[in-house]
Amino acid sequence: MEENILNPELVTSKLIEEEEEFHHLNNPADGIKPIIKKYLGVPNNADQQGNKFYFTDGDAKVEVVVITDEIIRVRLAPHSVFLEEFSYAVPKIEQKAVVFKLTEDEEEFRVSTGVVNCHIRKKDFFISFSDAEGHITSTDAVPMHWEENVAFGGYYVFCTKTCDSEESFFGLGDKPTELNLRGKRLVNWNTDAYSFAWNQDPLYRSIPFYISLNEGIAHGIFFDNTFKAHFDFGAEDPTKTSFWADGGELQYYYIHGPHMMDVVKSYHLLTGTHPMPPLWALGYHQCRWSYYPEAKVKKITNGFRENKIPCDGIYLDIDYMDGYRCFTWNRKYFPDPKRMIKELAADGFKTVVIIDPGIRVDDNYSVFKEGKKNRYFCRRSDDYFMEGHVWPGRCQFPDFTNPEVREWWAGLFDELVQMGVAGVWNDMNEPAVFGAGTFPDDVRHQYDGHRGSHRKAHNIYGMQMVRATYEGLRKIMKNKRPFTITRAGYSGVQRFSSVWTGDNVATWEHLKLGNIQCQRLSISGISFCGTDIGGFSGEPDGELFTRWIQMGTFSPFMRAHSAGDTKEREPWSFGEPFTAINRKFIELRYRLLPYLYSTFWEHHRYGFPILRPVVMQEQEEISNHFRQDEFTYGDKILVCPVLEPGQLSRTVYLPKGKWYNFWTYELIDGGKEIEVPTPLETIPLFIKAGSVIPEYPVMQYVGEKEIEEVKLNIYYSNYEVNSFLFEDYGETFAYEQDIYLEKKFVVSGKPSVLTLQQSLDGLYTPRYESYHFNVIGIPFTPSKILADGKDIPYSIDDNNCLEFKFTKNFKQIEILG
Ligand code: GLC
């Protein structure tokens, strides 16, 4: 056997003393020197129990679990004792029937599925992964290691893998930095980051999932550990990628690609997707800190209708409450909330209210009294209550990691729902505390029976809060889909909520950042995301606001929001020409609703992200690893926001294939950069040739009109392209009982004929009867149209588009030259 490079003497776990370790800077155990770090020794035994494999060096144990053909989980137990299995991120592991085996030779043990091999090297316990062709995709650079945590017990746990010279990294949630994380060191610790800056870290959410892309092959690492966690993508040493945490288990999922899309889909398989939102939640939302009193709210909502700018969501920020006490109303400002919400609803507005976690210490306040009586609030290690100041003043905080507390919290929404509230906005749930930042480390949490300090529960506190909120609303609203939005979260938060990127600033830099953040969130599991359009703090001018509306039109969640000390910030606040352009884009949002809704379905049901950076289209092109402006919205629309002031044209990369300019219908060959004019009225938008883009008529709000006809925009292509349209009731959970309709369209063009086929699958019947077809880019002069064999009339408009109508149940349409 070859010599062990790290310590030839030791065959069991090795003790290595190091004076100053880079990752140790923030450890409370600092000052206790020397730091004792233990590395895995050599594996001397392998044991199989079903899909679980155990390897030990005589003291420490490593567990390798086959989850699916593509996903393998690795866990380390320093003294062979694994923690009880529990994860807030992965609710249940669906063991898919996969074929796997353990083999052994002189060099290594090998756990293999048909797709991936996990190699456990005998000479040094290095763990690596390869694909079925034997191509190594990930390998340890040193054995897994750990340090004892003298202050709190447990271990700091470390994993270091190699980093290749051209390896790129993506993911990790909402980090406000370049899309490609290569060369960055980042930390996960949910933080209230008011007016955050480029490169500021950490922010509000912790998503310990990243995607590596190397030699054209992608794999993911999901480090499911809720403690403060650190990631280094070749920053400290360009040849190493490390991740480590200040506690918990070293537990990670290796997720094989080879495509980035495969990795994201598998990550969704583990952590879930967002449920279908109510259709209205995909419309435009207007928010401000705060719209009050009632007359002001009405002035705003009337403003939308008068200006004929569509809007569905209207928000009440903290001032609607009585002294910021959650679940109360300030009756001076809102004397009859039920009536007001009803009136707003009659005008098409859905009311969303903010609810924060801080509960005011006040013995005359029923929520506090109940929480106190039932011991629902968090306590310190010596049993004192965790107290801190937030908006209401002195507060205590529910322990949302306790299922009983979640149940109680869920029930508190009853009255709001009876009043007609349609959605809830959970904020300050990092948890944020004025002055201190957050809770002290020693605060205890029930952690669903797996007790822990705040060190363990901090990063999942916000997610458990919005989980309780969502579950409460869902129960109370019965078959109606609730809408929730949260600021803090952890992997899996998407099962319960949408998110926004927090308190950004009205600057061009933040517009750029928001574009990256939304793409990054989307490929990190959180597709239903958006920014505060216009910037939360500071003052945008009309141009910046309009450019932000244009970008926000293609954010899965579209909401304008602003701090209270700023000027009016509605889509008409900047006068012309801005109002008209804002209107045009918000109308476009509503026209494209069936497309977004279908894309959402693909997210919900199949785990596709809604926003996809260009690198996801063509990962083998190294130059694409650094593109971060352009993205696709679903898989058919390429968007490139304008991110600079006064920009009259900009460069856009079009992925390979043929694309239509959305505004001019010009057909362009992709696979290259092009220069696109960007007057304030437009942003670069391109439609993939062969697409069928469904369109609704412009509505001032979802449900304003009965949809009598759906427009299908068909973009000619000379190769076959599939498109989807998903339809259902739009606001109930009937889709969970399979009441929905999936339509598949296939477009295929020849030099003198274009064929469009439709197949239907599902149990839902939409109320409209016909489609209005609009065919773009036909390269020949049509002589007739055969719809299910029948000759039908058509017209050709000024843009040379072919228009006709036919039943929604058609099977085949042929346009003949
Ligand atoms: C926080 C939120 C912001 C909200 C404000 C008042 O700063 O991030 O969106 O308006 O609190 O509730």
Side-chain angles (χ1 to χ4, degrees), residues 79-98:
H79 296 294
S80 292
V81 182
F82 289 100
L83 299 178
E84 216 178 319
E85 284 224 20
F86 177 73
S87 167
Y88 281 116
V90 184
K92 67 171 187 271
I93 290 184
E94 311 239 359
Q95 181 56 48
K96 293 247 175 105
V98 286

Side-chain angles (χ1 to χ4, degrees), residues 194 204 289 317-318 354 356 391 425 427-428 487 500 502-503 532 536 559 561-562:
Y194 171 77
Y204 306 88
W289 177 17
D317 203 331
I318 48 177
I354 196 167
D356 289 350
W391 306 121
W425 170 21
D427 186 26
M428 304 289 279
R487 198 169 68 175
W500 91 106
D503 296 341
D532 279 351
F536 179 69
R559 181 184 78 164
H561 182 37
S562 49

